[in-house]
Coordinates of all heavy atoms in Angstrom, one line a residue:
W8 N 99.4 104.8 91.6 CA 98.1 104.8 92.4 C 97.4 106.1 92.3 O 98.2 107.1 92.0 CB 98.4 104.6 93.9 CG 99.0 103.2 94.3 CD1 100.1 102.5 93.9 CD2 98.2 102.5 95.5 NE1 100.1 101.3 94.6 CE2 99.0 101.3 95.5 CE3 97.2 102.6 96.2 CZ2 98.7 100.2 96.4 CZ3 96.9 101.6 97.2 CH2 97.6 100.4 97.2
K9 N 96.1 106.1 92.5 CA 95.5 107.4 92.6 C 95.5 107.6 94.1 O 95.3 106.8 95.0 CB 94.0 107.1 92.2 CG 93.0 108.2 92.6 CD 91.6 107.8 92.3 CE 90.5 108.9 92.7 NZ 90.6 109.9 91.9
V10 N 95.9 108.9 94.5 CA 96.2 109.2 95.8 C 95.3 110.5 96.1 O 95.3 111.5 95.4 CB 97.6 109.5 96.1 CG1 97.7 109.9 97.6 CG2 98.5 108.3 95.9
V11 N 94.5 110.4 97.2 CA 93.8 111.6 97.7 C 94.1 111.8 99.2 O 94.1 110.8 100.0 CB 92.3 111.4 97.5 CG1 91.8 110.1 98.1 CG2 91.5 112.6 97.9
T12 N 94.3 113.0 99.6 CA 94.5 113.2 101.1 C 93.3 114.0 101.6 O 92.7 115.0 101.0 CB 95.7 114.2 101.3 OG1 97.0 113.4 100.8 CG2 96.1 114.3 102.7
I13 N 92.9 113.5 102.7 CA 91.6 114.1 103.4 C 91.7 114.2 104.9 O 92.7 113.9 105.4 CB 90.4 113.2 103.1 CG1 90.6 111.8 103.7 CG2 90.1 112.9 101.6 CD1 89.3 110.9 103.8
D14 N 90.8 115.0 105.4 CA 90.7 115.1 106.9 C 90.0 113.7 107.2 O 88.7 113.6 106.9 CB 89.8 116.2 107.2 CG 89.6 116.4 108.7 OD1 89.8 115.3 109.5 OD2 89.1 117.4 109.2
G15 N 90.7 113.0 107.9 CA 90.1 111.5 108.2 C 89.0 111.6 109.2 O 88.4 110.5 109.6
H16 N 88.5 112.7 109.7 CA 87.5 112.9 110.7 C 86.3 113.5 110.0 O 85.3 113.7 110.7 CB 88.0 113.6 111.9 CG 89.1 113.0 112.6 ND1 89.0 111.6 113.1 CD2 90.3 113.4 113.0 CE1 90.1 111.4 113.7 NE2 90.9 112.5 113.6
D17 N 86.5 114.0 108.8 CA 85.4 114.7 108.1 C 84.6 113.6 107.3 O 85.1 113.1 106.2 CB 86.0 115.8 107.1 CG 84.9 116.6 106.5 OD1 83.9 116.0 106.0 OD2 85.0 117.8 106.5
H18 N 83.4 113.4 107.7 CA 82.6 112.2 107.1 C 82.4 112.6 105.6 O 82.2 111.6 104.8 CB 81.3 112.0 108.0 CG 81.7 111.6 109.3 ND1 80.6 111.2 110.3 CD2 82.8 111.3 109.8 CE1 81.2 110.9 111.3 NE2 82.6 110.8 111.1
E19 N 82.1 113.8 105.2 CA 81.8 114.1 104.0 C 83.0 113.9 103.0 O 82.8 113.3 101.9 CB 81.3 115.5 103.8 CG 79.9 115.8 104.3 CD 79.4 117.2 104.2 OE1 80.3 118.0 103.7 OE2 78.2 117.4 104.5
Q20 N 84.2 114.2 103.5 CA 85.4 114.0 102.7 C 85.6 112.5 102.6 O 86.1 112.0 101.6 CB 86.6 114.6 103.4 CG 86.5 116.2 103.2 CD 87.8 116.8 103.8 OE1 88.9 116.3 103.5 NE2 87.7 118.0 104.5
I21 N 85.5 111.7 103.8 CA 85.5 110.3 103.5 C 84.7 109.7 102.5 O 85.1 108.8 101.8 CB 85.4 109.6 105.0 CG1 86.3 110.1 106.0 CG2 85.3 108.1 104.9 CD1 86.1 109.7 107.5
S22 N 83.5 110.0 102.5 CA 82.4 109.5 101.7 C 82.7 109.7 100.1 O 82.7 109.0 99.3 CB 81.0 110.1 102.0 OG 80.0 109.5 101.2
K23 N 83.2 111.1 100.0 CA 83.6 111.4 98.7 C 84.8 110.7 98.1 O 84.8 110.1 96.9 CB 83.9 113.0 98.6 CG 84.1 113.4 97.1 CD 84.4 114.9 97.0 CE 84.6 115.3 95.4 NZ 85.6 114.5 94.8
A24 N 85.8 110.5 99.0 CA 86.9 109.7 98.6 C 86.6 108.3 98.3 O 87.2 107.7 97.4 CB 88.0 109.8 99.7
L25 N 85.8 107.6 99.1 CA 85.4 106.4 98.8 C 84.6 106.2 97.6 O 84.6 105.2 96.8 CB 84.6 105.7 100.0 CG 85.5 105.4 101.2 CD1 84.7 105.1 102.5 CD2 86.3 104.1 100.9
T26 N 83.7 107.2 97.3 CA 82.8 107.3 96.1 C 83.8 107.3 94.8 O 83.6 106.6 93.9 CB 81.9 108.4 96.1 OG1 81.0 108.3 97.2 CG2 81.0 108.5 94.7
D27 N 84.7 108.2 94.9 CA 85.6 108.4 93.9 C 86.6 107.0 93.6 O 86.9 106.7 92.4 CB 86.6 109.6 93.9 CG 85.9 110.9 93.9 OD1 84.7 110.9 93.5 OD2 86.4 111.9 94.4
A28 N 87.0 106.5 94.7 CA 87.8 105.3 94.6 C 87.0 104.1 94.0 O 87.5 103.3 93.2 CB 88.3 104.8 96.0
N29 N 85.7 104.0 94.3 CA 84.8 102.9 93.7 C 84.7 103.2 92.3 O 84.4 102.2 91.5 CB 83.6 102.9 94.4 CG 83.8 101.9 95.7 OD1 83.4 100.7 95.6 ND2 83.9 102.6 96.9
A30 N 84.7 104.4 91.9 CA 84.6 104.8 90.5 C 85.8 104.7 89.6 O 85.8 104.7 88.4 CB 83.9 106.0 90.3
E31 N 86.9 104.6 90.2 CA 88.3 104.6 89.5 C 88.3 103.3 88.6 O 88.1 102.2 89.1 CB 89.4 104.5 90.6 CG 90.8 104.4 90.0 CD 91.0 105.4 88.9 OE1 90.9 106.6 89.2 OE2 91.9 105.1 88.0
K32 N 88.8 103.5 87.4 CA 88.9 102.4 86.5 C 90.2 101.8 86.2 O 90.4 100.6 85.8 CB 88.4 102.9 85.0 CG 86.9 103.4 85.1 CD 85.9 102.4 85.4 CE 84.5 102.9 85.3 NZ 83.5 101.9 85.8
D33 N 91.3 102.6 86.5 CA 92.6 102.1 86.1 C 93.7 101.9 87.2 O 94.6 101.2 87.0 CB 93.2 103.2 85.2 CG 92.4 103.3 84.0 OD1 92.1 102.3 83.3 OD2 92.1 104.5 83.6
K34 N 93.4 102.3 88.4 CA 94.5 102.4 89.4 C 93.9 102.0 90.8 O 92.7 102.2 91.1 CB 95.0 103.7 89.6 CG 95.6 104.5 88.3 CD 96.1 105.9 88.6 CE 96.8 106.5 87.4 NZ 97.3 107.8 87.7
P35 N 94.7 101.4 91.7 CA 94.4 101.3 93.1 C 94.3 102.8 93.7 O 95.1 103.6 93.2 CB 95.6 100.5 93.7 CG 96.6 100.7 92.7 CD 96.1 100.9 91.4
T36 N 93.6 102.8 94.8 CA 93.4 104.1 95.3 C 94.1 104.1 96.8 O 93.7 103.1 97.6 CB 92.0 104.5 95.5 OG1 91.5 104.7 94.2 CG2 91.8 105.9 96.2

């Protein structure tokens, strides 16, 4: 898996994590 750890209350971190996950080509996130 692609794994990213974020502050789950930081909206900018959540948005970036979801953006990167949607762009991922090879792995579940």
Side-chain angles (χ1 to χ4, degrees):
W8 289 57
K9 173 187 176 70
V10 180
V11 57
T12 300
I13 64 171
D14 178 346
H16 301 303
D17 186 313
H18 294 180
E19 290 184 350
Q20 290 188 40
I21 295 169
S22 184
K23 183 180 187 307
L25 285 167
T26 298
D27 292 345
N29 273 272
E31 172 60 42
K32 300 297 185 184
D33 298 314
K34 301 176 179 180
T36 297

